[in-house]
Amino acid sequence: QVQLVESGGGLVQAGGSLRLSCAASGRTFSSYIMGWFRQAPGKERKFIASISGSGDGRYLTDSVKGRFTISRDNAKNTMYLEMNNLKPEDTAVYYCSAGQRSISSGGDYWGQGTQVTVSS
């Protein structure tokens, strides 16, 4: 069983930056593939980034590539999403997820989400 808690969301102006964190419970964090998803108002939740258990494999969707960076610190049981050059269309609730197979369709565990609002 893994519990995930996101933090770091907030209100920022366009062009600004935020760093989201996803803290995980349990002693097997490094065995999980981790991912970030976001859900904009009135829209479906969408996958945006993933990172392998070791951190060596990383993937970002085109919508965030070049602006967002995904990373993890297995010693701290924490995953991060560094978001730069934020745009109003990045406004959404951001969720982290953990799984032991493919993560792009959603993992086995989810956090409660953290709100990111980008003003123009």
Side-chain angles (χ1 to χ4, degrees):
Q1 191 80 344
V2 176
Q3 292 184 325
L4 303 173
V5 179
E6 301 97 335
S7 61
L11 173 64
V12 64
Q13 289 187 330
S17 300
L18 283 173
R19 188 175 82 156
L20 305 183
S21 298
C22 173
S25 65
R27 296 177 291 177
T28 58
F29 179 67
S30 62
S31 69
Y32 288 91
I33 302 169
M34 299 294 296
W36 285 101
F37 295 72
R38 65 185 182 186
Q39 186 169 18
K43 297 189 177 180
E44 292 184 350
R45 187 157 54 187
K46 290 187 176 180
F47 165 73
I48 59 171
S50 64
I51 188 166
S52 65
S54 66
D56 291 341
R58 308 180 193 201
Y59 177 80
L60 295 161
T61 61
D62 288 344
S63 60
V64 302
K65 194 177 295 181
R67 299 187 299 122
F68 291 11
T69 302
I70 187 171
S71 63
R72 66 192 294 164
D73 185 338
N74 287 341
K76 295 183 178 180
N77 279 15
T78 303
M79 174 181 64
Y80 304 98
L81 187 68
E82 185 77 33
M83 306 187 295
N84 297 312
N85 190 22
L86 283 161
K87 304 175 181 181
E89 51 264 42
D90 294 317
T91 294
V93 178
Y94 283 71
Y95 298 89
C96 64
S97 184
Q100 294 190 305
R101 294 186 176 84
S102 175
I103 197 74
S104 61
S105 299
D108 301 310
Y109 305 100
W110 292 88
Q112 83 290 347
T114 186
Q115 176 71 48
V116 171
T117 303
V118 184
S119 63
S120 57

